[in-house]
Amino acid sequence: MESWLFLALVLVVALVGKNMSLIIATGVVMALKLIPFASKWLPVIQAKGINWGVTVISVAILIPIATGQIGFKDLINTFKLPAGWIAILAGIAVAILSRYGVDQLAAIPQVTVALVLGTIIGVVVFKGVAAGPVIASGMTYLVITLFNLHF
């Protein structure tokens, strides 16, 4: 019963914050809880979901290459600008930090509660996005803005 109340609270917060991603995610989890045999899927989704999400985000990021919007010229130009180097370094930093984060979650699972709460607050209150690779872009934006650099 507690899990239903918690999910309902998350749904209410998402509705108040008008965050469609969180509304859909909460609805999907609630729907899965209603399906009798879906309880076997929940641990699999919990274990593999982040990787699936990163894969979907990676596909979306690669689409401009597939459509020709981004080519080798753009890649070469990346190395000519400070903002390009910052973006590369931010991507490396996020990948390294994420590895340590995954290790920490395995060692101290209680951190997950704080991460979920922080993510919900960040998404709903601050209109953030709950996505890992986007962090690199956000870090890049921060440094570019702080030093008034632009692509």
Side-chain angles (χ1 to χ4, degrees):
M1 183 63 168
E2 182 179 349
S3 64
W4 282 107
L5 291 173
F6 202 148
L7 287 169
L9 177 63
V10 171
L11 183 59
V12 168
V13 170
L15 288 166
V16 169
K18 298 177 184 162
N19 187 287
M20 192 53 68
S21 296
L22 192 55
I23 292 168
I24 292 169
T26 308
V28 167
V29 171
M30 292 174 109
L32 285 172
K33 281 184 64 67
L34 288 172
I35 301 170
F37 57 88
S39 62
K40 294 178 183 179
W41 298 348
L42 296 179
V44 174
I45 294 169
Q46 180 182 358
K48 305 285 186 187
I50 301 268
N51 291 332
W52 296 340
V54 169
T55 301
V56 170
I57 290 170
S58 297
V59 168
I61 289 170
L62 293 173
I63 294 296
I65 295 171
T67 61
Q69 292 173 295
I70 296 175
F72 284 111
K73 180 181 175 186
D74 300 301
L75 177 63
I76 292 166
N77 287 337
T78 296
F79 295 103
K80 296 178 182 176
L81 299 168
W85 284 101
I86 292 167
I88 291 167
L89 293 173
I92 292 168
V94 166
I96 292 168
L97 290 171
S98 295
R99 183 190 71 197
Y100 290 114
V102 169
D103 291 346
Q104 177 179 292
L105 287 176
I108 310 167
Q110 298 83 351
V111 171
T112 303
V113 175
L115 288 172
V116 169
L117 178 60
T119 300
I120 291 169
I121 292 169
V123 168
V124 174
V125 176
F126 299 104
K127 305 297 182 207
V129 176
V134 178
I135 296 168
S137 177
M139 290 171 55
T140 302
Y141 171 79
L142 176 66
V143 174
I144 289 170
T145 302
L146 286 174
F147 293 101
N148 199 24
L149 304 169
H150 298 284
F151 280 102

